[in-house]
């Protein structure tokens, strides 16, 4: 494997790690059942518990 390919692989790993860590910004985790809901959701799509709104 060439050094260039190694750099590409590392960048891909970093990109995946970033994407995995970003979802909290776009999803709202239900405090009752832990289901991730879209940020716009007012109620959990799984258990329909009201989702808290923190002013971010
Ligand atoms: Zn829920």
């Amino acid at each position: 494997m060439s050094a260039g390919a190694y750099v590409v692989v590392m960048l891909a790993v970093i990109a995946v790690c970033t994407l995995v860590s970003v979802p909290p910004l776009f999803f709202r985790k239900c405090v009752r059942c832990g289901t991730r809901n879209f940020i716009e959701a007012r109620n959990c799509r799984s258990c329909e518990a009201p989702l808290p709104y923190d002013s971010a």
Side-chain angles (χ1 to χ4, degrees):
M1 183 188 290
S2 68
Y6 179 76
V7 170
V8 170
V9 169
M10 289 308 295
L11 286 176
V13 170
I14 292 170
V16 169
C17 290
T18 303
L19 287 174
V20 167
S21 63
V22 156
L25 297 174
F26 300 106
F27 291 94
R28 193 177 298 278
K29 198 173 183 181
C30 176
V31 293
R32 184 190 288 178
C33 69
T35 298
R36 274 196 269 180
N37 297 274
F38 287 112
I39 202 76
E40 300 90 357
R42 293 182 179 276
N43 292 80
C44 176
R45 61 190 164 94
S46 179
C47 71
E48 297 187 353
L51 299 171
Y53 267 80
D54 37 74
S55 56

